[in-house]
Amino acid sequence: TTVVAGGTAPLLVEAPGLLALLTGAVFPVGLSMVLLSGSELLTGNFVTMALPAWTHPSVAKRQVMFNTWRIWGISGLGNLAGSLFVAGTVFALSILPPGGPAMAWIAALTVKKCSLPLMTMVGKAACANWLVNIAIFQASSAHTTAGKIASLWLPIMTFVALGLEHSIANMFLLPLGMFVGADVGVLDIAGNIVPVAIGNALGAIVFVAGVQRYSLLRNMVYAKPV
């Protein structure tokens, strides 16, 4: 996304809709790799760890909460470490040509994201992770690799094209923007990622896990402990 959309941004300055569409069109590659490799994504785990609290009432609430926070914590820290590593690698290897349009684009995007009002961050993040988890849900329903990729592509492309906020994506984009010269600091980045993560959690738990619990899973009979 950074290379493709950022590199063509000057050519599309009069066509922001086309630039947004191009940005979204290549972004789903990341989630495709996550799902097909069986990797852990914090924003996906917001749903998978919330459902057991509703669907398995026989499990002790303390155990559910412990497992939930443990998985969220581990996957969140792992995603952060991986994002920082990739951002550092992209910068160190000059994958974004110094002084090029992609570097200017990512710097401007970083400043824009860090300047959003608090509730705008939370609201955009909730909508983003609603779409991300719909994509994951659809991909889980497909039985072939091509089907999984195709089924997740449109929801992910939609959330990116709409300019919504995703905490894990921002863990990569915002540090990279800072590295290339965006006028932001670590606290500015944290001031985006923390509320965006909260919004991502709300969107996943309310709009996806909650809807699944009270619609698709409403009449399911669960095994009782022996």
Side-chain angles (χ1 to χ4, degrees), residues 172-193:
F172 164 76
L173 292 170
L174 302 187
L176 179 60
M178 183 177 68
F179 295 158
V180 303
D183 187 19
V184 298
V186 173
L187 290 180
D188 297 311
I189 292 173
N192 171 277
I193 290 175

Side-chain angles (χ1 to χ4, degrees), residues 7 24 100 118 185 210:
L118 177 63

Side-chain angles (χ1 to χ4, degrees), residues 9-75:
L11 299 177
L12 300 176
V13 67
E14 300 298 330
L18 185 57
L19 177 61
L21 183 63
L22 179 61
T23 304
V26 295
F27 196 87
V29 171
L31 185 60
S32 298
M33 292 190 291
V34 169
L35 293 184
L36 295 177
S37 65
S39 301
E40 294 291 328
L41 184 68
L42 172 62
T43 46
N45 286 338
F46 283 144
V47 166
T48 56
M49 297 309 298
L51 276 174
W54 287 318
T55 58
H56 292 74
S58 61
V59 179
K61 291 294 186 288
R62 180 177 298 180
Q63 180 182 348
V64 170
M65 292 303 297
F66 173 78
N67 289 336
T68 296
W69 285 106
R70 182 174 65 87
I71 296 299
W72 286 356
I74 293 172
S75 58

Side-chain angles (χ1 to χ4, degrees), residues 47-123:
V47 166
T48 56
M49 297 309 298
L51 276 174
W54 287 318
T55 58
H56 292 74
S58 61
V59 179
K61 291 294 186 288
R62 180 177 298 180
Q63 180 182 348
V64 170
M65 292 303 297
F66 173 78
N67 289 336
T68 296
W69 285 106
R70 182 174 65 87
I71 296 299
W72 286 356
I74 293 172
S75 58
L77 290 174
N79 291 164
L80 176 61
S83 298
L84 292 175
F85 174 77
V86 174
T89 301
V90 168
F91 177 70
L93 298 180
S94 297
I95 292 176
L96 301 183
M103 188 173 286
W105 179 79
I106 192 66
L109 182 63
T110 297
V111 173
K112 178 182 177 180
K113 284 179 172 288
C114 291
S115 302
L116 291 173
L118 177 63
M119 294 311 297
T120 299
M121 292 183 191
V122 174

